[in-house]
């Protein structure tokens, strides 16, 4: 058995674990699909809002709770029956923006690029939860109004992965992968798909409405997630 010194780095340990799991799970993305630990799912994440409990009660009344309309692909998450209007500068508005549950610590509005143009907002691309320095907006519900000082983002395209998924694809949390989507007449590679590793998630890529329409995801015949050469070098 190979002896590991006390000075071995965490990245080296992760690499050894990936190599061991890869031998058990298959050679990698080029292997037969059956060798992958989980099926690859790509979903469009339409404009939506995550509310704090405080803001939920302002918008929908004291003691309000989110009501489940539909469960999402990730366990424990759902689209609620509640919707709110998002108002930008000069009172430009997008009505009926869906609230997703459960509630969070900070309210967060996730929009596509065309949505931000419609509202007249200059919105950065961020990973969910990274809200520092983001613009705000006004939220209108049936019982009240919330003026957000920050919290509006364009969600970075990302992929939820378990440790087994990361081992199979040869990546780790925070890496940027490529997603190849084959559709008739518009095969496209989307770069900078951020890895979000969590042992409790299913393998799922999220892209926004603009991206989904551009690649004609509804008629895609094949999707493939892979590590770009620059990222492979980092782990070698």
């Amino acid at each position: 058995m190979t002896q590991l010194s006390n000075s071995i780095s965490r990245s080296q340990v992760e690499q050894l674990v990936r190599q061991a799991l890869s031998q058990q799970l298959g050679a990698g993305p080029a292997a037969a699909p059956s060798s992958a630990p989980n099926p690859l799912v790509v979903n469009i994440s339409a404009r939506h809002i995550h509310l704090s409990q405080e803001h939920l009660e302002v918008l929908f009344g004291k003691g309000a709770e989110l009501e489940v309309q539909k469960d999402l692909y990730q366990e424990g998450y759902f689209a609620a029956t509640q919707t709110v209007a998002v108002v930008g500068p000069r009172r430009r508005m997008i009505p009926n923006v869906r609230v997703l549950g459960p509630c969070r610590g900070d309210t967060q509005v996730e929009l596509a690029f065309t949505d931000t143009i419609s509202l007249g907002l200059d919105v950065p691309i961020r990973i969910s939860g990274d809200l520092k320095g983001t613009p705000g907006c006004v939220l209108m519900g049936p019982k009240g109004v919330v003026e957000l000082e920050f919290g509006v983002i364009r969600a970075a395209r990302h992929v939820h992965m378990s440790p087994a998924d990361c081992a199979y694809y040869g990546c780790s949390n925070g890496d940027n992968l490529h997603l190849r989507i084959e559709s008739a007449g518009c095969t496209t590679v989307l770069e900078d798909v951020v890895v979000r590793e969590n042992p409790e998630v299913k393998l799922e890529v999220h892209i926004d409405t603009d991206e989904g329409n551009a690649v004609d995801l509804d008629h895609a015949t094949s999707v493939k997630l892979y590590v770009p050469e620059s990222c492979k070098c980092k782990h070698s």
Side-chain angles (χ1 to χ4, degrees), residues 44-227:
I44 293 174
S45 181
R47 67 174 79 106
H48 61 272
I49 298 174
H50 302 278
L51 291 175
S52 66
Q53 182 63 39
E54 176 187 358
H55 288 165
L56 173 65
E57 296 193 27
V58 171
L59 295 166
F60 294 95
K62 188 173 180 59
E65 297 182 358
L66 291 178
E67 302 171 357
V68 179
Q69 180 193 64
K70 181 179 70 173
D71 289 324
L72 300 180
Y73 186 68
Q74 298 295 335
E75 293 183 8
Y77 295 87
F78 59 90
T81 60
Q82 290 96 330
T83 63
V84 301
V86 178
V87 184
R90 298 182 296 280
R91 297 190 177 183
R92 297 180 182 179
M93 180 177 70
I94 299 178
N96 303 319
V97 179
R98 184 70 54 190
V99 178
L100 300 188
C103 286
R104 293 190 177 186
D106 291 312
T107 293
Q108 176 175 294
V109 182
E110 297 185 32
L111 304 173
F113 184 44
T114 50
D115 295 328
T116 68
I117 294 173
S118 176
L119 289 174
L121 290 171
D122 184 11
V123 178
I125 298 174
R126 296 285 182 85
I127 286 293
S128 179
D130 181 9
L131 304 180
K132 184 177 180 180
T134 58
C137 66
V138 173
L139 304 179
M140 298 176 58
K143 298 293 185 180
V145 174
V146 170
E147 295 188 24
L148 289 180
E149 296 182 359
F150 62 90
V152 184
I153 67 170
R154 290 170 56 197
R157 60 182 76 111
H158 57 276
V159 54
H160 297 284
M161 307 182 86
S162 69
D165 295 319
C166 286
Y168 173 75
Y169 285 96
C171 61
S172 59
N173 188 57
D175 282 349
N176 288 332
L177 304 188
H178 287 182
L179 177 69
R180 178 182 170 87
I181 301 173
E182 295 185 10
S183 298
C186 66
T187 294
T188 308
V189 175
L190 296 177
E191 301 182 357
D192 301 325
V193 180
V194 183
V195 174
R196 303 190 62 191
E197 184 179 356
N198 187 311
E200 299 179 356
V201 300
K202 300 177 184 178
L203 179 62
E204 181 187 22
V205 174
H206 279 159
I207 59 178
D208 68 24
T209 308
D210 291 348
E211 295 164 337
N213 289 336
V215 302
D216 194 15
L217 184 64
D218 287 343
H219 299 99
T221 56
S222 175
V223 291
K224 178 183 178 182
L225 191 66
Y226 62 95
V227 179

